[in-house]
Amino acid sequence: MPSEAPADPSCVAGEVAERVLAAPPALGSGRLVCIDGPAGSGKTTLAAAVADIVPEAHVVHCDELLQGWRGLPGLARTIEAFLEPLARGEASRWTRWDWAADDWAESHPVEAGGLLVLEGTGCWSPAIAPLVGMLVWVEAESGLRLRRGLARDGEQMRPHWEQWRIDEDVLFARLGTRDRADLVVVTG
């Protein structure tokens, strides 16, 4: 059963950093935190707070690894391929999805070792579970999450958001992500 934490990002980030850095490395010589949960729940804010506490942490936003609005089913394999070299102690790289161009863009190198923070809907999967030092689930009330998303992306994106919410519900039900989390964070 995961423990639950208050919604203050700096308090939660401190707990996340303390717990993952105290654990033995699981991603080669490095450590991995996955911050997962539904869109609009506050995952990016928490990842930034962790990076503030551990400035040498490398944060990868998984919405930049998705192949567009319908890319959620392929995300797990993309993440696996990115993590495989790091688990062997080798450098890796990830390629950013350009949402405006609807195509892949530039690649970003990541050195092995240190703390890697993956944040985004669907960033955790059973295939990478042995590499994950800590899985954090972030959630918020459904209406609030939708309002946050539409405020960021615009009302014209509502059909994409509605389908996305269905896709993420299906993914989370299949994987049981929340139940596997080490820490559950409820934002408001």
Side-chain angles (χ1 to χ4, degrees):
M1 183 81 175
S3 60
E4 294 202 16
D8 177 7
S10 60
C11 289
V12 175
E15 179 180 347
V16 169
E18 182 179 318
R19 286 173 64 176
V20 76
L21 294 176
L27 182 62
S29 64
R31 291 168 172 83
L32 173 61
V33 172
C34 289
I35 302 176
D36 209 328
S41 59
K43 298 177 300 298
T44 302
T45 301
L46 179 55
V50 171
D52 285 344
I53 292 170
V54 186
E56 65 276 10
H58 192 101
V59 178
V60 175
H61 304 284
C62 290
D63 59 353
E64 295 186 323
L65 303 177
L66 291 165
Q67 192 170 354
W69 282 100
R70 298 311 307 265
L72 196 53
L75 179 61
R77 182 61 199 127
T78 299
I79 291 172
E80 286 175 58
F82 166 57
L83 295 178
E84 286 168 357
L86 296 172
R88 294 190 305 266
E90 301 168 7
S92 188
R93 60 188 328 94
W94 59 274
T95 303
R96 182 183 65 84
W97 180 258
D98 184 330
W99 288 79
D102 197 32
D103 199 2
W104 294 107
E106 76 284 347
S107 291
H108 299 266
V110 176
E111 294 300 319
L115 177 61
L116 174 62
V117 179
L118 289 180
E119 78 79 21
T121 300
C123 70
W124 180 88
S125 72
I128 67 164
L131 306 175
V132 178
M134 187 169 187
L135 169 58
V136 182
W137 174 268
V138 182
E139 63 186 39
E141 186 273 322
S142 180
L144 173 61
R145 293 186 295 103
L146 181 59
R147 288 190 300 277
R148 287 174 176 168
L150 294 176
R152 182 189 68 197
D153 297 336
E155 183 62 36
Q156 75 279 6
M157 300 307 284
R158 182 178 288 274
H160 291 293
W161 267 91
E162 296 293 345
Q163 183 60 54
W164 178 266
R165 290 158 56 91
I166 292 168
D167 292 348
E168 68 184 9
D169 286 348
V170 168
L171 177 74
F172 293 141
R174 182 171 54 83
L175 299 181
T177 311
R178 186 187 196 279
D179 293 336
R180 296 175 189 271
D182 300 298
L183 181 66
V184 173
V185 179
V186 180
T187 66

